[in-house]
Amino acid sequence: MHATAKVFTTGNSQAVRLPRAFRLDAAEVWITRNEATGELVLKPKPAPDDLAAFLQELRAQPQGTAPFIPPRDDAPAADPLADWAGSES
């Protein structure tokens, strides 16, 4: 979707008046600039409650890695030369 927005200055800050179709449901945004193209990207900053809810859900997930990583034997391998008497002639 493309639209035109007005850019204006308020005090020492520059602002952009967003059209209705681009309204954000956030109190703050993260902003990044692509140095090569000059494009700006706005991303809604999650509210602290959103982060707490995410972490709570993450902690509620099953613990452990058994379904993903098969068990393995970490015991050291036997010495292949333990029974070798040598070649003393």
Side-chain angles (χ1 to χ4, degrees):
M1 176 186 315
H2 294 281
T4 301
K6 298 289 183 182
V7 178
F8 59 97
T9 303
T10 300
N12 291 330
S13 296
Q14 191 176 45
V16 177
R17 189 177 310 275
L18 296 175
R20 183 181 302 258
F22 292 89
R23 285 190 179 169
L24 300 167
D25 186 23
E28 292 183 299
V29 295
W30 282 313
I31 183 169
T32 55
R33 178 194 309 255
N34 182 322
E35 294 299 329
T37 64
E39 292 177 316
L40 299 175
V41 177
L42 301 175
K43 295 180 183 178
K45 185 176 175 183
D49 294 341
D50 294 343
L51 180 58
F54 169 74
L55 292 175
Q56 181 179 1
E57 186 171 332
L58 188 61
R59 288 184 190 110
Q61 296 301 312
Q63 298 298 313
T65 56
F68 304 104
I69 301 175
R72 68 181 206 191
D73 182 13
D74 284 339
D79 182 2
L81 303 177
D83 294 336
W84 186 59
S87 58
E88 295 174 22
S89 303

